[in-house]
Amino acid sequence: MVHLSDSAPLPQLPSLELPDVVLELGQLFVDAGHELSLVGGPVRDLFLGRVSPDLDFTTDADPDATIRVIKRWADHYWEVGRDFGTIGLRKDGHILEVTTYRAEAYDPESRKPDVSFGKSLEDDLFRRDFTMNAMALRLPSLELVDPHGGIRDLHAGVLRTPGEPSASFSDDPLRMMRAARFASQLQVDVADEVAEAMEDMAGRIEIISAERVRDELIKLITGRDPRAGVDLLVDTGLADHVLPEVSALRLEIDEHHRHKDVYQHSLTVLEQACALETGEDGPVPGPDFVLRFAALMHDVGKPATRRFEPSGAVSFRHHEAVGAKLTAKRMKKLRFDNDTIKAVSRLVELHMRFYGYGEAGWTDSAVRRYVTDAGPLLERLHRLTRSDVTTRNRRKAERLAFAYDDLEQRIQALREQEELDAVRPDLDGGQIMALLGIKPGPLVGRAYKFLLEERLEHGPLEPAAAEARLLAWWQDQPESGRPRQPDGGAARP
């Protein structure tokens, strides 16, 4: 391994190890008469005191020349990114990407970059998104190239562009999303001129594919400070295009302040949900996108359901159901996979279920239904529900926390008694068909659903008791063959 502190020209660079393949690859290119530099995120991360999992390189060699250099050295290589000047390879367990110096710009009406190869490292660095990503280490000498003050901005915690922000965002509008992502991941501030350009050019994000926007959003939400990233999206108007439901949460505060600021409340819930994530061995290892995004979106149904009551109070009846639909619709537009859409929207739908438990109390049947409806999302629902308490009234907060503690204890007690995680009817499909003398079909499903309702309402039954209840239900079904009374009931003998 190479220790960067052993290289003379970098006194500010912390003592970190780079994989041997970095210098080996650099020497291969130099021996072949080409330049090669480690560039972008990996260099930035070295100054942040960490080794990046990504190893990105830039070179004056075109893709054909790159392949000639690496094809005998690499364990494997691929050309998926060839049209963009990128050749990927694997060596000694490391994934490396080598890209020809380039400059690219977006046509105002196009979603795809117009790629052209550059001629120098300095030109390549100028076209990169932010100064802290526009640094390079020439290989194998490890000479630092930082023409735009990336180290200065990194130390200051400020995000700037190498050139004019408007030109940078015009070339690639996705960089505006990246700015918000870096605000979350790196906890840096955005320079005033960068924020102003984002505000002026927010509409340009519309030419970017939904998939690319989605990927940046996931990185933002799973960053160290997602609140900062979301705030930047909303303040600059980008959220109006990519997450308009979140922008809409900034409801006008009525003059008597009868209801809380829904937008700020949602950001606080997001922060509190992050704090309740567990380590890798826990039930909700962080960062967990599903929990965090549900926390952000949990109240997006409120603007559409807000009502000012005659009493002067403000209500948001059924906002959880409306919010679940809005969340699923937005996630579909952003091309999320179906499982993630279902998980997030289900949490939004269920986040109000707990309220009222402390006052009214729940039967065992209600507890079973809570667990069954949450299914594999139960641990996330626990954390979302707890995070949703943002009141400054200490007594109210303590009362809700105590009530939820009690609910979790009851869930655990019932789980130990009844295997709640796998609630099933007391008779399976085969037993139902044998007892009723029916064939597979919709009727078996109806009988199964009846027995499931019985199981949730009354808990586990002995087989004989379950059979008796099923037969009693069957007597009232028209398919049983018994004559019906005029009022629709079965005739009694």
Side-chain angles (χ1 to χ4, degrees):
M1 303 294 284
V2 178
H3 290 265
L4 288 174
S5 58
D6 296 338
S7 297
L10 300 175
Q12 299 184 70
L13 203 57
S15 177
L16 285 174
E17 295 181 338
L18 278 174
D20 291 337
V21 294
V22 172
L23 292 193
E24 290 178 16
L25 185 62
Q27 193 63 55
L28 283 174
F29 273 79
V30 169
D31 291 346
H34 294 291
E35 299 175 356
L36 186 76
S37 298
L38 186 68
V39 69
V43 179
R44 177 201 68 217
D45 285 349
L46 288 171
F47 283 96
L48 291 173
R50 63 196 188 199
V51 176
S52 174
D54 302 315
L55 291 174
D56 297 327
F57 302 83
T58 188
T59 179
D60 63 340
D62 64 25
D64 288 334
T66 294
I67 291 174
R68 287 195 296 270
V69 172
I70 60 94
K71 64 180 179 181
R72 294 183 180 178
W73 177 78
D75 297 329
H76 178 66
Y77 73 90
W78 51 93
E79 305 179 47
V80 175
R82 183 190 184 95
D83 290 345
F84 296 94
T86 300
I87 301 298
L89 61 134
R90 182 186 300 111
K91 177 67 175 180
D92 296 342
H94 298 284
I95 302 298
L96 306 88
E97 288 193 345
V98 180
T99 301
T100 305
Y101 296 152
R102 69 189 190 192
E104 62 186 28
Y106 273 75
D107 182 279
E109 305 303 324
S110 173
R111 291 175 180 265
K112 297 181 180 181
D114 178 19
V115 178
S116 60
F117 296 145
K119 298 180 179 180
S120 71
L121 174 60
E122 287 74 16
D123 288 344
D124 183 86
L125 294 178
F126 182 75
R127 59 153 288 276
R128 292 182 178 266
D129 52 6
F130 302 107
T131 58
M132 60 181 63
N133 293 332
M135 299 185 289
L137 292 177
R138 291 190 187 274
L139 301 173
S141 66
L142 295 178
E143 172 194 354
L144 176 64
V145 181
D146 181 18
H148 306 291
I151 292 178
R152 173 201 64 210
D153 292 340
L154 189 60
H155 286 174
V158 177
L159 203 63
R160 301 183 192 277
T161 55
E164 287 294 325
S166 57
S168 179
F169 298 153
S170 180
D171 283 348
D172 186 352
L174 189 67
R175 290 171 176 173
M176 295 185 287
M177 287 291 299
R178 287 199 195 116
R181 186 242 291 187
F182 287 133
S184 170
Q185 285 185 330
L186 304 179
Q187 296 180 295
V188 295
D189 296 322
V190 174
D192 290 343
E193 67 272 15
V194 172
E196 290 170 5
M198 292 171 66
E199 186 173 353
D200 292 341
M201 304 180 67
R204 282 277 287 161
I205 199 67
E206 296 284 355
I207 73 168
I208 301 298
S209 70
E211 291 83 358
R212 297 184 72 204
V213 171
R214 174 202 63 207
D215 291 346
E216 288 297 327
L217 182 62
I218 291 172
K219 293 173 184 177
L220 184 161
I221 295 297
T222 55
R224 294 164 63 187
D225 188 5
R227 180 175 191 148
V230 173
D231 239 349
L232 186 59
L233 290 181
V234 172
D235 288 345
T236 58
L238 272 170
D240 294 343
H241 302 276
V242 300
L243 281 179
E245 297 80 8
V246 174
S247 296
L249 292 175
R250 293 191 296 184
L251 301 169
E252 315 84 31
I253 302 300
D254 61 284
E255 59 179 334
H256 300 294
H257 297 277
R258 295 189 185 95
H259 64 86
K260 69 182 75 174
D261 183 330
V262 182
Y263 173 65
Q264 292 299 329
H265 162 74
S266 297
L267 293 184
T268 300
V269 174
L270 171 59
E271 284 186 318
Q272 294 184 166
C274 294
L276 291 178
E277 291 171 337
T278 65
E280 291 184 5
D281 296 332
V284 185
D288 186 89
F289 175 80
V290 169
L291 171 61
R292 293 185 179 199
F293 200 55
L296 177 63
M297 303 291 282
H298 78 285
D299 274 349
V300 295
K302 281 190 170 180
T305 59
R306 183 174 63 163
R307 299 290 182 272
F308 293 98
E309 305 296 342
S311 64
V314 180
S315 67
F316 303 96
R317 292 190 180 91
H318 308 301
H319 75 272
E320 66 276 16
V322 173
K325 292 179 181 178
L326 290 173
T327 298
K329 184 177 180 181
R330 176 56 47 192
M331 294 182 74
K332 287 177 183 176
K333 287 186 176 180
L334 290 171
R335 302 291 193 270
F336 278 90
D337 63 276
N338 288 335
D339 288 344
T340 304
I341 294 172
K342 290 178 181 178
V344 174
S345 57
R346 185 62 166 160
L347 285 174
V348 173
E349 182 183 5
L350 294 175
H351 84 271
M352 292 294 293
R353 181 74 68 86
F354 160 74
Y355 291 96
Y357 174 84
E359 288 78 10
W362 282 3
T363 62
D364 285 351
S365 170
V367 175
R368 292 187 195 100
R369 291 178 188 278
Y370 188 75
V371 174
T372 300
D373 289 347
L377 297 171
L378 182 62
E379 290 292 344
R380 289 184 175 110
L381 182 58
H382 287 334
R383 285 155 178 79
L384 176 59
T385 303
R386 289 185 181 276
S387 300
D388 196 22
V389 179
T390 62
T391 178
R392 295 181 180 180
N393 184 322
R394 184 173 59 85
R395 292 182 63 183
K396 181 179 180 181
E398 289 177 348
R399 183 171 69 251
L400 288 170
F402 176 81
Y404 208 87
D405 287 343
D406 182 67
L407 174 58
E408 287 201 68
Q409 291 169 7
R410 288 186 62 192
I411 289 172
Q412 184 58 35
L414 283 173
R415 177 178 280 130
E416 292 173 358
Q417 297 170 20
E418 304 179 13
E419 298 182 0
L420 280 187
D421 291 334
V423 171
R424 297 288 186 275
D426 296 292
L427 303 176
D428 61 26
Q431 292 170 308
I432 290 171
M433 289 186 287
L435 183 64
L436 302 183
I438 59 178
K439 296 180 179 180
L443 187 55
V444 178
R446 282 168 47 198
Y448 187 92
K449 184 177 180 180
F450 164 76
L451 286 176
L452 179 59
E453 290 293 321
E454 290 291 300
R455 172 70 172 78
L456 291 170
E457 187 67 29
H458 304 291
L461 299 172
E462 293 296 326
E467 290 176 359
R469 294 194 182 189
L470 179 61
L471 288 172
W473 171 84
W474 178 241
Q475 293 298 312
D476 286 333
Q477 304 308 304
E479 296 87 350
S480 67
R482 298 195 57 171
R484 308 289 294 174
Q485 292 180 327
D487 64 358
R492 299 299 177 188

